[in-house]
Amino acid sequence: MLFIILLLVITLAILFVKQRYNYWKVRGVPYLDPAFPTGNVRGLGTRLNLAEVLHNCYEQLKSRGGGPFGGIFFFLGPQVVATDLDFVKTILVRDFSYFHDRSLYYNERDDPLAAHLFTIEGSRWRALRAKLTPTFTSGKMKMMFPIVRDVAGELEKCLGQELVMDSNVEMKDILARFTTDVIGNCAFGLECNSLKNPGAEFREMGRRVSTLPPFMMIKFFLAQQIKPVARALGVTIMERDVTDFFMSTVKEVVEYREKSKVQRDDFMNLLIELKNSAKDSERLTLNEIAAQVFLFFFAGFDTSSTLMLFCLYELALNQDVQDKARQNVMEVLKQHGALSYDAALDMKYLDKCISETLRMYPPAAVIFRTATKDYPVPGTDFTIEKGTPVNISVLGIHRDPELYPDPMKFDPERFNPDQVAKRHPFAYLPFGEGPRLCIGMRFAQMQTRVGLATLLQNFRFTDFFQDADPTEDRSVKRIVRATGQFLVEY
């Protein structure tokens, strides 16, 4: 009897898996053949990260044609991968009302820091976005510019001191300390001093936030699959002491400023103004402030430092491009007399280098959306059912040879105005697009420009392996992701 029951259970499980893996076939949607148990994400977490997996799916589905999107399976779950840029525009802009949520797991009750602008959904997201948008205007960026410039001055001093000891410098850590100090100053109003002290508490918290241990990643994956159950059980993703650190820091800063009537030209000051707004509809709670400041910190320090690192890597490999970028910086500084907000905006060639780096190495390499209701795809007989995840492979689009010939060549001239005008407007999505466009885009661009301009003005960067055996592996993964080292010269 036990054998019969076991056999029945196994048979039903096999039939269930087969039924799930026929999902796209019975709907007539082009799809990639899955393999149990991972579906189409083989190698995820071992050989490949999610961005690389979806890049491969994008390439395979696009080569097959047959529609504006294709179907894949994330383990047993059917998901959409967009392959047509007009369809990408439809998802992000034209029919945004169907795809306004990311459906990422968060637990506001037990982990208030997780309920930030990136994760919350529906009407709550719209209301919060409307409150925060005025804090990221160009005028507000200009107001915070002196803070960023002052920290960049500390970056120059720090790198100069490092060079006294060794011309082989670990740039990844230095750049992360720079962006940590910038965000700490602008988001928390605190002098983090990680450029002076690599072991500073904010830097350590940044490391822990950006490198979750494997068991926390597994917990997030499981919680993502059963969100209602995980919330009921009180599952949190962030480690408790990290949450306590950020919550207590924000509370102390807010209370100090309100009691002492302190005013600073930073992000925290703008949030406190919203907290004390005369209009009930604009007010933020202390928990909401803490969540947004945490997002600003988490999204701002790691992505921008990585962007700067990859840009310096490519400039180290392409000395002629580095020379042009440095010349652009010097000419603009001579014209303006000093590094100002307007001067940074005038560094057009440097901006092209940043744009090309964002194309090759987009920090947000995948855009996630979920259908909030059944969506009949225009011009087809397909319907994307409610709850189906939709993936836009930014990495796949940015490295598509049909859009960018020789995509792995670093060529800032791709962003000359005439070249940009020839491309589909949704062929470049480093910050997303539409109503959920990255709200901190202007700030990220500002701190990146200031940091790179300061470095190029004072230092030259060369490839760490320039004198190595020509057969030596010179892959980006080895040089940048593993070591981040450059030879730096005055």
Side-chain angles (χ1 to χ4, degrees), residues 20-40:
R20 291 295 287 170
Y21 282 166
N22 277 332
Y23 181 90
W24 293 119
K25 183 177 181 180
V26 299
R27 287 164 175 77
V29 174
Y31 70 100
L32 301 180
D33 292 324
F36 182 79
T38 57
N40 298 112

Side-chain angles (χ1 to χ4, degrees), residues 155-174:
L155 171 65
E156 179 190 345
K157 293 178 186 176
C158 175
L159 189 52
Q161 291 168 358
E162 291 283 338
L163 288 173
V164 172
M165 296 179 285
D166 192 351
S167 63
N168 174 22
V169 178
E170 175 56 73
M171 289 302 299
K172 180 175 182 177
D173 183 61
I174 289 177

